[in-house]
Amino acid sequence: MSYSQTFLFGIYPYIALTVFLLGSLIRFDREQYTWKSDSSQLLRRGQLRLGSNLFHVGVLFLFFGHFFGMLTPHFVYEPFISAGAKQVLAMVSGGTAGVLAFAGLSLLLHRRLTEPRIRATSKFSDILVLLLLWLQLLLGLATIPLSAQHLDGSMMIRLAEWAQRIVTFRGDAVELLASAGWVFKTHLFLGMTIFLVFPFTRLVHVWSGFAATTYAVRAWQLVRPRG
């Protein structure tokens, strides 16, 4: 592998993840008043509701699908489903979720760019993160016809093994991407870049969304009226 490939897929992931984790922690510690999604729901409420619902339903499915699909070792699911069958399942379910998220994000991007009042109050990072996510979803959908050309699951296993070697700090991860096409590599690179810019954008509210699940198990709060 060339030095550029080694850097992009062997070193850059650690840079992105370090900035993602430390940056989020520092922002929460130092700038809690900026820890929000900056809602603009008073404007074009109908388009916001439809776009937001489609996007969040699709992207949450994709997030957990990628998280468990990429980081679960092959031997864990091999007794229950073959690599080829898992790939087909991922293509169908992920493709459906990807279309929903892409349609919803397109509505949100159109709303933010064409409504003058929303555009005037938008930060550069607001538009940047929407464009990055839009392009990432487009690249993800573009991998489906490529994956359909080899349904044995071999490329899916290579990509998953790359991710597993990265998170377990094994230095031979880059070699697994030697035969991957540019669409797959660009999709990986852009995904890592989204993690890199995460702490500096409104995406930090994702942490709060996951943290909200603790309300289901926390202790009851007692509210006593005066007198």
Side-chain angles (χ1 to χ4, degrees), residues 20 35-37 55-56 59-60 63 198 202-212:
F20 167 66
W35 192 280
K36 55 184 179 177
S37 59
F55 170 70
H56 283 91
V59 82
L60 285 173
F63 172 80
F198 183 100
R202 63 169 60 197
L203 285 176
V204 292
H205 78 278
V206 175
W207 284 118
S208 299
F210 289 133

Side-chain angles (χ1 to χ4, degrees), residues 207-221:
W207 284 118
S208 299
F210 289 133
T213 58
T214 60
Y215 281 97
V217 295
R218 76 174 186 177
W220 290 95
Q221 288 185 322

